[in-house]
Amino acid sequence: MISDAPADDGRATGAARIVPGLVVARSYRRSWLRFDLVAGVVLAAILVPQGMAYAELAGLPPVTGLYTTIACLVGYAIMGPSRILVLGPDSSLGPLIFAAITPLVVAGDDPARAIALAGMMAILVALIEIGLGIGKLGFVADLLSKEVQVGYMNGLALTIIVGQLPKLCGFSTDADGFVNELRAFVDGFDERNRTAIAVGLATLAVLLLLPRVMRKVPAVLVAVVGATIVTAVFDLDVKTVGALPQGLPRPELPWTNVHDALPLLVAAIGITLVSLTDTIATSTSFAARRGEEVDPNQEMIGIGTANLASGLFQGFAVSTSGSRTAVAEQSGAKSQLTGLVGAACVALMLLFFNSILANLPQAALAAVVISAAIALADVAVVRRFARVRKSSLVLSLAAFGGVVLFGVLAGIVLAIALSILMFFHRSWWPNGEVLGRVERSQEWHSLTATPDAVEPDGVLVYRWEAPLFFANAGMFRQQIRHYVRRRRPTWVVLQCEAITDIDITAADMLERLDTELNAMGVHMAFVELRTRLHDVVYSYGLFQTLDRDHFYDTIDEAMDAIRLDRDETDGSR
């Protein structure tokens, strides 16, 4: 129902909570209609060339990119929570799809089998994403850290560019993998078509330069329409897309055989992580700019539904697009109706104007893909990693190298493994610092980072910057023993602000450590231990060995108590 009443505030009940599209439909404002119609038409002009280009990047017929675009936009409009997000074929997923289905197309060029495999994988991705959303597992999208994600995307960008160079130059190769593709391009460069190179480079120049001087007109629209018109008018001798199949596909369950399920499932997991990480980050960013809030779990269900629809209509796995979403927003989009209008425009083209892009050069599509790959790369962030944290630089370069040297599937597996290893490394080997007092500020800081911090006589003030649990308890004990042997203190004051948990293994370690230190004439005190952990320590029975009075709110309070204890000891002598 269309009305001029205030839009729904996002709090829905019943079926509307499960199907966000119902919320928009019930609260849609009549004043939004003009904006959504205009934005949808503008969006369609971008969706068509990008959908075709990214389909070829995935090793599929160009028309499948348009089927994918229509299906996923409709699916997301029904189940997606974001009013502005635009989903569709994506340059970051194309190489993953291609790498997964190519080894399974054993009979050589078999487009029908390739389409079925891509559809199977899209449905597997959908089932994983919907399952994660229903299970409230939105945090899974955080498995790819920023460093690893940047490295993976940079490697992907380079791989895509090299893979598209032959097509940009008017010839093709059968090589697979970055090194082989680069070698095949160099070896086959004699087969280049100078006209195709000129068209491809001109298209690429428009794509890269036009946005710097004009943002209102989509560069991809100008580049693709221009290349198509020039090719048709001058009858250029270049490979073109040709007329697309007329009509729309019927829904069907894609299937080949059960042996394909496992390799496709492995690729689907990687696609899910890349897709969700990008989608949730983009959705949250645009929602914040509009004063809205997006539920990551519902976002998973929304993109899962989009992938399910895509797989059922001869499509492939999709993700969000920051650039297409930005175009929709800049064009005045108010709701998911923008995506539906865009899908309708693409469908009308397939039904009645399927030959409109018959003269679109393949080199121009390659230029579209290359420009998207350039947008994926982020060298500036890598330089920032080098300045602020060397370990982040190493992780990013390792992910980059994994994609370039071992391929995108192995690269995404390596990227996930690196993220998990980084998490465990920071938990197993966390940072620990000896603290000293800065006289001018009366505050306690790391001796390493603050040269004018002064360590108190006979007291080791140590800060542990992680939870204490079975994996790092031994490391904690070794560090305390190391500093006690070197500094010979009579007190060890543990600054516990960053300790968020203590498990049974760590509790046993603290008990043994306290007994060992007491035998050496060293006492142990705890500062800023959370109230919740006081109860944990009590339940573990540690107050039978640890002195109940040696728990303080601040380091200064602990130091005052230590001085008082020393004065009493000296007085008793």
Side-chain angles (χ1 to χ4, degrees):
M1 180 176 65
I2 299 177
S3 71
D4 287 318
D8 193 285
D9 63 359
R11 293 188 294 270
T13 57
R17 179 177 298 174
I18 301 172
V19 186
L22 290 178
V23 177
V24 178
R26 293 192 322 185
S27 60
Y28 194 85
R29 297 181 183 179
R30 186 177 290 106
S31 59
W32 289 355
L33 184 59
R34 178 172 61 88
F35 294 100
D36 282 340
L37 289 174
V38 172
V41 173
V42 173
L43 186 62
I46 301 174
L47 294 172
V48 171
Q50 287 190 341
M52 295 169 66
Y54 299 158
E56 291 210 331
L57 181 62
L60 299 167
V63 71
T64 60
L66 303 184
Y67 297 158
T68 300
T69 298
I70 297 169
C72 75
L73 287 175
V74 174
Y76 187 82
I78 297 171
M79 297 299 294
S82 173
R83 295 174 184 265
I84 191 68
L85 206 66
V86 177
L87 269 63
D90 189 69
S91 58
S92 65
L93 301 188
L96 277 168
I97 297 169
F98 179 79
I101 66 177
T102 298
L104 302 178
V105 186
V106 293
D109 292 333
D110 188 352
R113 178 170 167 78
I115 292 170
L117 289 168
M120 285 177 64
M121 187 157 53
I123 290 178
L124 289 173
V125 171
L127 294 177
I128 295 172
E129 290 171 339
I130 293 173
L132 291 174
I134 293 174
K136 308 294 183 184
L137 300 174
F139 65 88
V140 171
D142 298 327
L143 278 180
L144 284 179
S145 67
K146 177 68 174 181
E147 302 97 319
V148 172
Q149 188 178 0
V150 168
Y152 172 78
M153 289 298 179
N154 284 341
L156 196 61
L158 183 59
T159 302
I160 290 173
I161 291 171
V162 170
Q164 292 297 307
L165 286 178
K167 188 183 296 183
L168 187 75
C169 296
F171 65 97
S172 60
T173 66
D174 295 326
D176 185 24
F178 174 80
V179 176
N180 292 334
E181 286 180 339
L182 184 60
R183 183 182 295 115
F185 170 70
V186 174
D187 293 342
F189 193 66
D190 291 340
E191 303 174 27
R192 64 189 180 276
N193 182 321
R194 288 182 171 82
T195 305
I197 294 175
V199 171
L201 291 179
T203 305
L204 186 59
V206 172
L207 291 168
L208 297 179
L209 299 178
L210 186 60
R212 299 185 180 184
V213 297
M214 183 185 300
R215 290 186 175 274
K216 291 187 177 180
V217 179
V220 66
L221 176 61
V222 175
V224 168
V225 170
T228 303
I229 292 174
V230 169
T231 302
V233 170
F234 295 99
D235 193 22
L236 299 182
D237 182 20
V238 294
K239 294 180 180 178
T240 60
V241 172
L244 298 172
Q246 188 173 32
L248 300 175
R250 294 181 179 179
E252 61 180 34
L253 185 66
W255 182 255
T256 55
N257 61 69
V258 71
H259 301 293
D260 296 329
L262 183 59
L264 291 179
L265 178 61
V266 173
I269 293 172
I271 288 174
T272 298
L273 285 175
V274 174
S275 174
L276 289 181
T277 299
D278 192 23
T279 297
I280 292 177
T282 304
S283 175
T284 303
S285 174
F286 277 92
R289 287 163 52 175
R290 295 164 60 90
E292 300 171 354
E293 189 171 341
V294 172
D295 178 4
N297 295 308
Q298 184 61 48
E299 197 66 77
M300 286 185 167
I301 295 175
I303 189 173
T305 304
N307 274 300
L308 181 62
S310 176
L312 293 174
F313 284 89
Q314 296 185 28
F316 48 89
V318 299
S319 180
T320 190
S321 169
S323 61
R324 280 168 285 189
T325 303
V327 167
E329 184 183 52
Q330 291 166 7
S331 301
K334 300 296 183 183
S335 74
Q336 291 97 322
L337 182 60
T338 294
L340 292 177
V341 173
C345 290
V346 177
L348 288 173
M349 190 199 78
L350 287 173
L351 288 170
F352 305 109
F353 307 102
N354 59 305
S355 298
I356 194 170
L357 293 176
N359 291 307
L360 174 60
Q362 292 281 1
L365 282 184
V368 172
V369 174
I370 290 174
S371 68
I374 293 173
L376 286 178
D378 196 339
V379 180
V381 173
V382 177
R383 288 199 295 264
R384 182 162 63 88
F385 290 161
R387 290 196 309 270
V388 301
R389 190 161 188 166
K390 300 299 181 184
S391 60
S392 295
L393 175 64
V394 172
L395 280 170
S396 188
L397 292 178
F400 171 84
V403 175
V404 171
L405 297 178
F406 305 115
V408 290
L409 280 181
I412 190 61
V413 172
L414 178 61
I416 296 169
L418 285 174
S419 289
I420 296 173
L421 285 175
M422 182 174 65
F423 166 76
F424 282 117
H425 178 271
R426 289 174 179 173
S427 298
W428 284 340
W429 294 281
N431 191 44
E433 296 282 357
V434 177
L435 306 182
R437 186 186 182 95
V438 180
E439 292 300 329
R440 65 177 184 275
S441 64
Q442 302 297 302
E443 295 178 347
W444 294 82
H445 294 284
S446 165
L447 293 178
T448 304
T450 312
D452 55 346
V454 178
E455 188 174 2
D457 292 335
V459 180
L460 169 66
V461 182
Y462 184 76
R463 179 176 64 207
W464 182 253
E465 300 178 355
L468 262 177
F469 67 113
F470 69 93
N472 62 26
M475 178 68 67
F476 175 88
R477 183 184 182 193
Q478 289 177 19
Q479 292 196 22
I480 294 296
R481 294 174 68 186
H482 168 74
Y483 286 120
V484 167
R485 286 195 301 268
R486 288 187 58 186
R487 287 170 162 79
R488 303 289 182 180
T490 55
W491 281 86
V492 173
V493 176
L494 299 177
Q495 207 272 6
C496 306
E497 181 184 13
I499 298 178
T500 57
D501 193 22
I502 300 174
D503 72 358
I504 293 179
T505 302
D508 289 342
M509 177 276 298
L510 287 174
E511 183 176 16
R512 294 194 305 272
L513 179 62
D514 183 56
T515 301
E516 180 182 344
L517 293 178
N518 288 340
M520 300 167 60
V522 180
H523 305 285
M524 195 157 56
F526 296 81
V527 170
E528 297 185 49
L529 186 68
R530 299 163 191 256
T531 303
R532 176 177 60 84
L533 294 185
H534 273 272
D535 297 336
V536 171
V537 169
Y538 180 79
S539 66
Y540 289 160
L542 292 185
F543 283 137
Q544 297 176 14
T545 54
L546 300 177
D547 194 325
R548 181 184 299 273
D549 296 328
H550 293 169
F551 288 78
Y552 304 97
D553 293 332
T554 67
I555 297 177
D556 288 332
E557 183 182 331
M559 295 303 297
D560 290 340
I562 290 171
R563 280 192 291 270
L564 181 61
D565 179 79
R566 286 175 174 173
D567 292 342
E568 292 176 351
T569 302
D570 292 341
S572 65
R573 291 176 182 172

